[in-house]
Amino acid sequence: MNRDTASGSLPSGVLPMLWRRFSVRHALQSPLQSVLLVVILSLGVGVFFAVRLANRAAVASFQNFTDLITAESDGLIAAPSGTLPETVLTELREALADEAIQIIPVVETTATLPRVSDDEAIGSRSTFQVLGLDLIAVQNLADRRPANRQWLANPGAPSGGEPDASDLRVQARRLWESFRDPHSVFVSPRLAIRRHLVPGQEFPLVLNEAIVPLRVAGIIPTDPGQPEAPAELLVMDLPAAQQWSGWTGRLSRIEFVLEEGPDREGRWRRIRETLERLALRGPGGMAAADGTSLAPRWLVGSPADRRQSGEVMTRAFRLNLTILSMLALVVGVYLVFQALDGAVVRRREEIAILRSLGIPPGLIQRAWLGEAALLGLLGGSVGLMLGWIGAQGAVRLVGKTVNALYYATSAEQASLHPGEALLALALAVLTSLIAGWLPARAAAETPPAQSLGRGHGTTFTGPLWLQRTGWAWILVVLGVALLGVPPWRPEAGFRVPIAAYGTAICWTLAAGVLGGAFLQGLAKVLAWPALRVSHQPVIRLALSVLREPTGRHRLAVAGLVCAVAMTGGMAILVGSFDTTMRGWIERTFQADLFLSSDGAQSASTENRISPETWRGIASHPAVERAQVIQASRLQLPDGETMLVSSDLAFFRDHAKPAWRQAPQDDRVFDPRRNGSMALVSEAFSERFQKVQGDRIRVPTPVGMQDLEIAGVFSDYGNERGSILVDRPQFVRWFGHELASSLILVLRPGSDIEGVRAEFRSRHPGLAVFTQSYLRAEALRIFRQTFAITYALELIGVTVAVAGLAFTLISVLWERRGDLTTLRALGLTRFELAAAAAIEGVVTALSGVLTGIVASLGLGWVLIHRVNQQTFGWTLETDWSWDRLVLLGLMVIGAAALAAWGAGRWGSRLPAEREE
Amino acid sequence: MTPTPAEIPPTLLRAVGVGRSYAGRAVLKNVSFELLAGERLALTGPSGSGKTTLLNCLGGVDRPDIGRIELGGVALETLDGDALAAVRRRRLGTIFQFFHLLPTLTAAENVELPLQLNGVPTEERMERVRYLLERVQVSHRADARPSELSGGEMQRVAIARALAHRPELLLADEPTGNLDSRNGDNILRLLQELSDETGTALVLVTHSPDAAAICHRELLLRDGEIVGETVRLRP
């Protein structure tokens, strides 16, 4: 015998041997169960991974496109609201004359392909980002970077191959002529491949209100070290972009690229100080006496800030989606637990023998935890594959929501990200380990074989807290207390409803515990009439078991309660959203026709309608009243928001806003008295913590405006919030009348469809929607944002029912001695299966009833805390009883089938030899 | 002839005043006895007399409420769970009424398991498994799973497994209780032979007078107390 073990320690190879000879062999002996378990775990991991990749793709598509042309700029300036006047370029060139720096003026706008059919869905066409660049400045840059030279010297040819000098001159002239043509555009290589575009080819794009025929001047080359330009990027000369976007003489931003040289950081710091000083000077070059009363003309930032803004904007949305996707993992924990626990029950004899042979409890526990980790690893690996495939579909769903609520994203593909893959895999293993902890402990506590079958600790009691309802009531009270805690605000403009999530967790756990107690009570209540009405042994048998439910029954109920509560809670939230949105849409869309640029396919569209066009439309004889909406992005110290303007009296009369805080009087609706007043959306109020009567300072091109909040209205259009002012103020501040949209009330008796058709034919670059169409589309877009939640709900319920089946299998295995006795007493297999089915149905009924009660609480928390604190949207509560009843029936029906299957399996078990 | 002190084997197991109760009912009361190395001891008595409880206490699976049990001079009550596991792994072998072979392992693998747990090198392990399976006459079923073996074959494999690591003490709980009389007789003969060959002490719980007859000594238990002792042979 090996003397190394004389001290009593085990040789190192025992643990792998246990896995090899026991875990693996058991898995191979029950391949269906093993595969099922891996698949379910992989579904949880897959959903999480898919959502994370899709989120990442949607955020990654929001980038600083200019970087792709200039390599990375060192800094940029942009107006806090609206655009910059082109005249600042002269000012900047003078101020920075001594600096070795390239100044790149940029106009950025959006465009789409013309619509193919008249009834296409909003958002169905890709949005292109159109960059207008001073190509001379870009050429200067390119001259300093040999890798970029070929693009400018040889338009149309992808990089590769060095042109000779005479060719260069000819091509440079052609290039120059090509640049000056306002119809010239450079397209990305991906777009060229996708749409079979070659230099010289024409293709139309909707820019503002016009369908503009553009010609491919060349293909944007890929600079070594830079990512390839995305398919949706188009580049044109600055004056052309200004012309088509309606921003003649204006710039979206100005970027700065420092010449190569030492101390780049120090030079940029110096330039930044100069830029910040210049920003506070008035157009005449005089510093204001009171610097604070003058709005900075621009804000200095970096490309990194800009890249991050997409991430910041969608942070709350992505956080919620991630939390939702983790629900699938949580229910995965439950299922893995049930499966491993069942395995402990079935393999108790094996464990007991191993204990008898001298394997210590700690090693048994480690072996089981290792088995759980292996399961997590396998499930996680399959989940990564499923998730990557799922991400390709999810990226479209997420992209559509981001498009509708935040900014244009045309992400169509999610790329594999090693960090996310590792995170998902680690979560899978961690999930399995958490789920495997109790079964592993139960395995370790299994007595050696000598004690088996003699009544010493062989019944699973489950965790003690599951049997003590006192804890549950404490959790309920704690949940109530947490409702009073405000959201966590890690930074300005961003809040996380941590306390509300805490309430949801407390109540879900409490409901799980109380469900077990309810099962006992329910069985007793049902037993009374059942045993008097029927003398069927099957019913007696099933109910007698549940009058003293085991720890395993309680856990099954807890799992069902969690799944039903979460699914029901989500159903109530979605139902409330639906009801609220329908009400809001019906109130808001009261007018007859709604016009916008046909290129407006996302929330961040820059497309506008010119004053000439909207005036012409507004003066149409059929139009009784026209409402012009103008809007500008607004950068406040605490985050980005929107400044919107319209006729406030029209807004009150025709949009019929739902007031969260109604104006105290009519001053805000009177153009003669509302010069320093504004209305704000509820999302703005929640996000920036401003309420009626507070004052807000809004930077505009003519200085800082001090506005009093006269009222707060509900708006479900975006979660960034908006400030609404009367249009004359907006025009005075921004100096233009470009409209974002136009709302028309037609004269009574007008042929709405006829007028719409007339406007469509006269202005093919405009989208003209009727009230009913726009209502239907708004509802469709909203419902589409919830598509992913339905899939997650389905997974949750499926897993819970599968968990119940696992539980019943374990319970029956534990009672196989009783089954032997019952068979000996003459019960048929059908009767045994029926008894198990009744046991399953009553267990499920208990889980469903408790779960539905819990879902009412969870739904309330989701609506009035999580949603309200995250997005700032107050919703009308719709308890969605029809959905809850349907959910309950589905779970009970599925549970009955699963229990019947388990019963059939149990009735075929071999006789318990030890009894 | 009375053996001289030099010929008397040393005491392997000593139980002193052992008592055990379950739910207020005394199952063992003040049980004391000694077992010499290589000695075979039968524990007999009616159902509920405390035989199996005593066997569990001797194997360190159950702990007496009072009294002490020493195995080779080591007091079992002083050992924690891991140390007791080490005692079972190295010094004890156990045979069960229902064989308790591991269903995922073949007959040979079942016998090999205790040797693996004790870190016996592969070559030596294989040799010992082969020898034991031949010795218990099931070498032709070495690759069979327990579900493919007959009751007699299963118990032979279980005996081989219990003796594989050369334990000092073999605990057997009704080893023939689940076998027909022919198979039972064969198993008893095998146990006797192997115990003699290896010098392994045996504590045998049984109802069967035939089984008790292979032992040197028999303790009769009733209501948790030793009420009689029969000495047949000295080892």
Side-chain angles (χ1 to χ4, degrees), chain A residues 820-878:
Chain A
T820 309
T821 310
L822 290 168
R823 282 217 298 269
L825 290 174
L827 255 74
T828 63
R829 284 188 170 155
F830 176 86
E831 286 170 325
L832 287 174
I838 292 171
E839 190 178 331
V841 167
V842 176
T843 307
L845 185 65
S846 164
V848 164
L849 291 177
T850 318
I852 285 178
V853 171
S855 74
L856 300 179
L858 279 190
W860 190 92
V861 171
L862 288 174
I863 293 166
H864 297 288
R865 287 294 183 275
V866 173
N867 163 71
Q868 224 274 332
Q869 292 178 353
T870 307
F871 299 109
W873 294 335
T874 296
L875 304 179
E876 253 176 75
T877 310
D878 177 345

Side-chain angles (χ1 to χ4, degrees), chain A residues 1-2 5 8 10-11 17 21-22 25-26 29 349-350 353 355-360 449-451 914, chain B residues 56 61 82 85 88-90 94 96 98 100 102 104-105 109 112-113 116-119 145 161 165 173:
Chain A
M1 194 165 294
N2 193 334
T5 60
L10 278 162
M17 183 274 289
R21 289 205 167 160
F22 295 95
R25 286 187 189 181
H26 277 295
Q29 275 178 4
E349 185 181 329
E350 171 190 292
I353 298 166
R355 291 284 316 274
S356 291
L357 291 173
I359 295 186
Q450 291 94 323
S451 297
E914 246 178 318
Chain B
N56 285 345
V61 172
D82 282 358
R88 281 199 294 276
R89 189 164 65 240
R90 296 182 44 75
T94 310
F96 307 92
F98 297 104
H100 284 324
L102 290 154
T104 58
L105 304 186
E109 286 170 343
E112 186 191 0
L113 187 62
Q116 283 178 304
L117 296 180
N118 282 294
R145 293 278 168 96
R161 184 179 68 185
H165 55 298
D173 190 0

Side-chain angles (χ1 to χ4, degrees), chain A residues 70-200:
Chain A
T70 62
E72 191 164 309
S73 327
D74 293 272
L76 56 88
I77 60 169
S81 60
T83 50
L84 287 167
E86 208 172 36
T87 48
V88 300
L89 278 173
T90 317
E91 198 182 332
L92 289 173
R93 284 190 182 114
E94 277 172 19
L96 302 174
D98 296 337
E99 301 288 351
I101 194 167
Q102 287 291 322
I103 299 174
I104 319 262
V106 180
V107 163
E108 189 168 347
T109 187
T110 54
T112 57
L113 293 167
R115 68 173 53 220
V116 181
S117 74
D118 214 33
D119 56 352
E120 68 171 32
I122 295 173
S124 58
R125 280 171 286 150
S126 296
T127 298
F128 294 94
Q129 297 291 329
V130 181
L131 275 188
L133 296 171
D134 177 355
L135 289 174
I136 299 170
V138 173
Q139 186 159 21
N140 283 341
L141 260 185
D143 286 344
R144 287 166 175 77
R145 287 217 306 261
N148 231 10
R149 190 182 294 153
Q150 288 175 19
W151 175 45
L152 294 171
N154 186 17
S159 48
E162 192 68 31
D164 65 37
S166 58
D167 275 356
L168 274 177
R169 276 194 296 278
V170 176
Q171 286 169 2
R173 195 182 65 245
R174 273 212 320 256
L175 175 75
W176 184 246
E177 287 161 3
S178 156
F179 284 172
R180 293 176 65 87
D181 180 354
H183 295 275
S184 286
V185 67
F186 286 84
V187 299
S188 67
R190 284 189 217 174
L191 184 67
I193 292 166
R194 198 179 290 172
R195 300 202 171 269
H196 311 292
L197 297 175
V198 290

